[in-house]
Amino acid sequence: MRTAHVRFTLDLYSRRRTALAAALFVAAGWFATASTAMALAPGETVAEAIQLGAVHIPLPAGQWVVAGVGKQTFDMPALGAYGAIQSAVLLRIENEAVVAVLEANANAIPVNDGWGRAKSCTGPHLHLITRYKSGWETGCQFVEVSNFGPNAVGPTAWERARAFVEAKKLTMPRTWLTAGFRASDRQDIVDARFHFSPALFAMNEAADWTAEAIAADPARHAAVQALIGWTSAYDASIERGLRNQAIEPSPMPNLAAYARSAPLLDAKLAALDRLLREGRISQAEYLTQSKVALTEMPVVSPPTSMFSNAVRKNLSFRSFGTFVDYGIAYIVTANRAISTGIALTINSTDSVWFVMNDQYWDDYYARLNTHDSERVVDFVYIGVGANS
Amino acid sequence: VILRLLLLALLLCCGQVRAETLARGAVVHGILAVDGKQVVLPAGDWTVAVDAPNGWTNAGLGAFGYIRTIVLFHLQGTRIDAMLEINGNVLPTADGWGMAADCARADLIVAVVRYRAGWDGSCFFVNHTITASESQPAWRAARDFAASNGWRFSTTWLTAGFRAANRSDIVDARFHFAPEGFGIAAEPVGAWARSAWISSRLDSDPARLALAKAVGDWAVNYSTLLDAGLKNRLTDVQVVAMPDVRAAGKVEGLIEHRMAELEAMRAGGAITPLDFETQATALRQSGLGSSSTAPDIGSITAVKALSYRVIVSISHLFVDYYWTGNYVAAGALEVLQITINSAKFYFHELAWAKYVGIPRGDAARTLDFAYMGAGI
C-alpha cells in the first residue's frame, strides 16, 4: 500500500502498516463468499454454472450431478486467511454411465496477495497454453490423457463421489481425455479439470492413448484436436467465472464447433459487430479495434534468443555509445589514437558492468514483483494424490 | 457444422455484451450492473443524466469497445446534492489497465494506492472538483439535463474518486458531493487552486475539515465495495449510506468482518478449529497480508541508470587517466561522460523497453479518461 498523501489522519491509518493494508483491503470477501460456499448438495442436479467458494465455475451445456463436495487437505499459511480450498466433483451421466467428470477446486475466502504457480501449467501435456503468468496471476489450460477408475484415490470430494457412483451402480471408463484449467488472480483461484470419456468422441477407451499412438491414428488425433479446440474456447468461460461474470453455456466438446481455430477472437469480433450495429462505436473505431483484437490474446512464450535480454541491450547500447565515447574523448584530448583507446577500453569494461547491472536490477524487480513466482499451489486430484 | 458455428458464435457473442445503455431520466438504485461489473449506489434514488461514450481511445490496450461514461444525479429537492460519474470498459481486454493519476498526487486531501501492478490495481482519493466551466461533451449534456429540469448545480464539489482494475476490466467511479448539502456555503471560484478546499487550507476551516474527514472515512469503506463490484461479489443486502459528518471516524472493522467469515466457516464445519485458529491468528497479527505495488518503468530505469553510472564512473577514472596521463583531462572526461552518458543510458533504456525488449507488463502504468472538472 502506498499512501501518497494524507492531509489528516484517519482513525484507520493510525494502525501499523500491515494492519492498515489488511484493513483497507477487505477484498470483497464478506460480501458473497462463505455464505454460499457450501451451497452444493450431493445428488443435486445443476446446469450452466456452480458457485464454488468465492468464484463461479461454468458447466458445459446439459445436466450435471453433484456427486461429492468437500475440502482439500491443503495448508499454506503464507497465503493468508483463505478459509479453505473447497472441492466439488460433478458427473455427467448418460445411460447409467459416467461420461464426464468435473473436479473443481476454489478458495472459500479471497486473499490479498495472489496465489502461485501450478505444476500442471508446465507440462508435459498434449496441449498447453499459458495465457499469463505474473506475480499475482496465473492462467493456463492443458489437455492430457488421465487414467482413473472408480477405485482411484483422490480428494475427499472424490471419495464421496466414488460412493455415489457405487450406490447408483454407475459405470465409468478408466481412460479419460482431460481438459484442465488453472486461473488465479490477486484474490481467487480456480482449478478445474474436466475429464471426458473417449466414448463421447466415438472412440474406444481401451485403445492406446499415448502421445505417439494418438499422433499415429487420425481418429484419435481428431478427438484430441476437438478437445483442444473446445479447451481454447472454454478458457474464456473459466476467466469469466473467476470474475463471477455472466457465463453463457458452452456445448460439450464432442458437440462444439471445434473446427474454428480462434473461438475467442471470433467472440470478440462478434461483440464489436454488435456494438457497431447498435451505434455505440463508430466505423473507424470498429475497424481499429477489429484489427487490434487479432493480436490481443496473451500467450506467454519462454525466451528463445541465445543472448539474454541484457546482452542484446548492451550490444544495442554499444553500437552508438562507442561513437559517443569517442566523441567525448576527442573533444578533450584532440587525439585520435587516445580517443580510440579510451572508447574501446570503455566499450570493453562497461559492457561487463552493463550486463551485470541490468541483470541484477531485472532480477531484483522480478523478485519484488513476482514474489510468489516460486510458490507452487497444487491440490490433491483424482487418481493423482498429493502432488503439491 | 455451419449451424454449430453460428450457434456458438451467437452464444459467445451474447456473453460478451449484455448491458444496454441507460435511458436519460431513468431512476436507478442499489447495485448498478455495468458491462459485467457492479457499482453499488449509496442509499436513495439516482437519476441517469448521461450514458455515452467517453471519447477516450487507446488501441494499445486492446479491443475494449469503448469507455462508457455514466453520470447519475442524486437529488435533494431541486438541488443536486451528489453526482456519480462512472467510466468503464464495455468489452473485456486481456492485458490489464492502469491506475489513475490522481491516486499518486501529493497535493490532495487523501490519496491511497492499495495495490498496483501491471495488470491490476486499486486506489482512491479525495479531492475537490470545480465545474464552473465544462468542456467535456458528456458533462455538458449532464448540465443541460439538469438545467432542463430546473435542478440546481453546484460549482464546487468534494470528490471521492475510486479506481479498481484487473486484467480484463476497469471501473473508475467518482462521487461528487455538493458541500451545500452538508451546510457549507457555495464557493464561487473558477479555478481549482483558488478553492478553500485545497488541503493545506483545511486546518483553518473546521467545517470543511470535518466534511473532508467524513468523506475520507467513507471512501475507505467504499473502495472495498468497488473492488467487490469489479468481481461481482455484491449482494442486495449491502446498504451504503452517504457520507455523514456525524459518523466520521467510524470506519468499518474490516478485519472483524473477515474474522466473522472465518468463524462462520468454523461453525459450519467447513474448516477445523485448528485451521480457524491458525488463520485467525495470522489475520490478527498481520491482517490479510501485504498489498504490494509494482514500480513504473521510469523508476526502474532511473535506478538502473544511477547504479550503472556510479560503477562505471569509478572505472572511467582509471581508464581516462591511463590514456591521458593528465588529471585535468581525466577530470574533464569524467564530467562529460557522466552528464552525456547518463542521459544516453536513460533514454536508450526507455526506448529499448518500449520498442525492442521483452515487454515488462508488470511495470504499472497510469491512464486517465475525460473527467468532470479536469483541467480547471
Side-chain angles (χ1 to χ4, degrees), chain B residues 11-34:
Chain B
L11 289 173
L12 289 167
C13 146
C14 296
Q16 298 293 323
V17 183
R18 182 182 289 272
E20 297 175 355
T21 53
L22 298 167
R24 174 176 291 186
V27 175
V28 292
H29 54 84
I31 295 170
L32 185 64
V34 184

Side-chain angles (χ1 to χ4, degrees), chain B residues 289-315:
Chain B
S290 67
S291 50
S292 25
T293 60
D296 60 80
I297 197 71
S299 302
I300 296 173
T301 300
V303 169
K304 280 185 179 179
L306 186 64
S307 66
Y308 177 74
R309 187 48 46 198
V310 170
I311 297 167
V312 298
S313 292
I314 296 169
S315 169

Side-chain angles (χ1 to χ4, degrees), chain B residues 71-223:
Chain B
V71 179
L72 306 175
F73 290 156
H74 188 274
L75 295 163
Q76 198 171 59
T78 57
R79 188 184 70 235
I80 299 169
D81 71 338
M83 299 188 295
L84 168 59
E85 61 173 321
I86 303 169
N87 287 289
N89 59 303
V90 172
L91 300 182
T93 59
D95 210 22
W97 291 83
M99 282 292 89
D102 280 339
C103 290
R105 288 177 63 175
D107 58 343
L108 302 188
I109 298 168
V110 171
V112 175
V113 175
R114 296 168 58 197
Y115 57 85
R116 184 187 73 166
W119 297 272
D120 66 355
S122 175
C123 70
F124 62 93
F125 62 89
V126 176
N127 188 11
H128 64 278
T129 300
I130 306 295
T131 54
S133 62
E134 194 49 74
S135 58
Q136 302 298 339
W139 281 103
R140 278 205 305 272
R143 287 184 68 108
D144 292 346
F145 178 65
S148 67
N149 284 282
W151 296 335
R152 285 176 289 160
F153 202 89
S154 181
T155 54
T156 305
W157 306 77
L158 190 57
T159 298
F162 305 88
R163 169 71 62 88
N166 58 26
R167 182 175 284 275
S168 59
D169 296 300
I170 183 170
V171 178
D172 187 303
R174 299 181 180 216
F175 287 89
H176 306 283
F177 301 104
E180 297 94 308
F182 297 86
I184 296 174
E187 187 186 46
V189 296
W192 184 88
R194 290 204 295 270
S195 171
W197 288 99
I198 290 285
S199 62
S200 59
R201 296 171 189 155
L202 289 179
D203 282 338
S204 57
D205 190 336
R208 285 192 170 86
L209 181 63
L211 179 55
K213 184 168 171 46
V215 172
D217 287 346
W218 181 85
V220 172
N221 293 333
Y222 190 86
S223 66

Side-chain angles (χ1 to χ4, degrees), chain A residues 2 60 82 86 105 122 214 226 247 249-250 257 279 304 316 334 336 371 382:
Chain A
R2 178 177 302 169
Y82 56 86
Q86 298 187 323
N105 300 287
T122 57
I214 292 169
I247 304 167
S250 295
T304 54
S316 163
R336 288 180 184 173
H371 49 285
I382 299 174

Side-chain angles (χ1 to χ4, degrees), chain A residues 317-330 343 347, chain B residues 344:
Chain A
F317 187 65
R318 295 296 151 215
S319 65
F320 74 96
T322 303
F323 293 104
V324 175
D325 290 334
Y326 176 87
I328 293 171
Y330 191 78
N347 188 306
Chain B
K344 183 180 73 180

